[in-house]
């Protein structure tokens, strides 16, 4: 079976690597154009492009696939490459571009998407972040037959995965990426035998995982401690939960709600400072900060952080400064 692969970040790279290891032919890879990254803001190839080049696979990087859009020449060149590949199916994983109908219709078996949620819950751009933020007990991967809607296509294979109490978006991402790679290989092997059966998504339980915005990172101390603890985990590694003291931005990378804490201070007030954590009053309960980072510094456990940043009970944390929100 010949596959065109469309994807961009690490989640997609894992799937592509698994497909190649399973022996599938991949004559063409589509990925996003190189983006500025790092301190020098130099153009950097996506993880999928790097793997494709290492394996000597042809790479196309159109800015759009809409033939009537802003970049019709890019789309036309991509169409020519897709037609020349004569693939049986296109596998899509976190690609980042909308696929027009002409793309969905070209491969013999259409386009299959690896989506990191239990559809129809968490359709959209940030399903892993939103599942943790919402306090979901489980998530998973859905292999979906793509249609013109936003993650609305028929489900082909689904496998569930528990969300652990300490999971961050980073740790859950890695487990889901591994699961997605295994599941797409399984789906294609079944499809090669004509054994895949499609199931409509339920009409109930639809939720949209909107893109994560940097402004969401600011911790709102008027929220309950359990809610803030979930946000800290959901926004690790991006964009990183943020607060501030006297105008200085502080990232919070790990925290937990103190189960028996009654609180007592104003929201954002430091109730206790010690090597095991920094206790902060919230609207309901206490949030204990255990890993923090000053601007330009390293991530540090609370004990190390306090050696270079003196804090005392009674001080009040604020939301991140305005430049951090932008």
């Amino acid at each position: 079976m010949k596959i065109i692969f469309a994807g961009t970040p690490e989640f997609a790279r894992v799937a592509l690597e698994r497909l190649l290891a399973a022996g599938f032919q991949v004559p063409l890879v589509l990925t996003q154009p190189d983006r500025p990254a790092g301190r020098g803001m130099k153009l950097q190839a996506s993880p999928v492009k790097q793997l494709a080049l290492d394996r000597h696979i042809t790479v196309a990087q159109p800015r759009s696939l809409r033939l009537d859009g802003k970049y019709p020449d890019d789309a036309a060149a991509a169409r020519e490459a897709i037609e020349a590949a004569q693939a049986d199916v296109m596998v899509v994983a976190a690609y980042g571009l909308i696929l027009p109908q002409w793309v969905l219709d070209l491969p013999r078996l259409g386009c299959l998407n690896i989506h990191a949620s239990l559809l129809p819950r968490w359709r959209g751009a940030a399903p892993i972040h939103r599942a943790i933020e919402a306090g979901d007990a489980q998530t998973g991967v859905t292999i979906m037959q793509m249609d013109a809607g936003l993650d609305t296509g028929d489900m082909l294979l689904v496998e569930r995965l528990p969300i652990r109490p300490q999971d961050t978006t980073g740790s859950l991402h890695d487990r889901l990426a591994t699961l997605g790679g295994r599941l797409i290989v399984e789906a294609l092997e079944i499809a090669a035998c004509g054994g895949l059966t499609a199931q409509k998504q339920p009409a109930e339980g639809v939720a949209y995982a909107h893109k994560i915005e940097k402004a969401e990172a600011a911790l709102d101390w008027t929220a309950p401690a359990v809610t803030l603890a979930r946000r800290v985990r959901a926004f690790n590694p991006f964009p990183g939960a943020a607060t501030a003291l006297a105008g200085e931005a502080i990232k919070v990378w790990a925290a937990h709600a103190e189960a028996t804490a009654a609180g007592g201070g104003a929201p954002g007030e430091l109730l206790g400072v010690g090597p095991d954590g920094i206790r902060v009053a919230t609207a309901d309960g206490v949030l204990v900060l255990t890993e923090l980072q000053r601007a330009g510094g390293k991530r540090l456990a609370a004990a190390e952080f306090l050696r270079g940043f003196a804090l005392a009970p009674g001080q009040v944390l604020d939301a991140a400064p305005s430049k951090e929100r932008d």
Side-chain angles (χ1 to χ4, degrees), residues 90 99-107 109-111 145-149:
M90 179 183 287
L99 302 190
Q101 194 64 45
W102 70 261
V103 179
L104 300 176
D105 293 341
L106 264 181
L109 297 176
C111 299
Q145 185 79 50
M146 297 182 71
D147 61 15

Side-chain angles (χ1 to χ4, degrees), residues 217 219-221 224-225 228-233 241-245 249-258 268-282 285-293 300-306 309 311 315-318:
L219 291 172
D220 178 3
W221 298 108
L228 295 174
R230 291 200 303 262
R231 288 179 183 164
V232 170
R233 293 189 294 116
T243 187
L245 180 64
I250 302 170
K251 290 280 190 181
V252 180
W253 294 110
H256 62 268
E258 202 168 71
E269 183 179 346
L270 302 187
L271 302 178
V273 177
D276 293 334
I278 299 160
R279 300 175 68 251
V280 185
T282 72
V286 172
L287 188 70
V288 183
L289 316 183
T290 56
E291 186 179 3
L292 306 96
Q293 180 182 18
L300 298 172
E304 295 178 89
F305 182 83
L306 291 169
F309 197 125
L311 298 176
Q315 291 179 301
V316 179
L317 297 174
D318 196 356

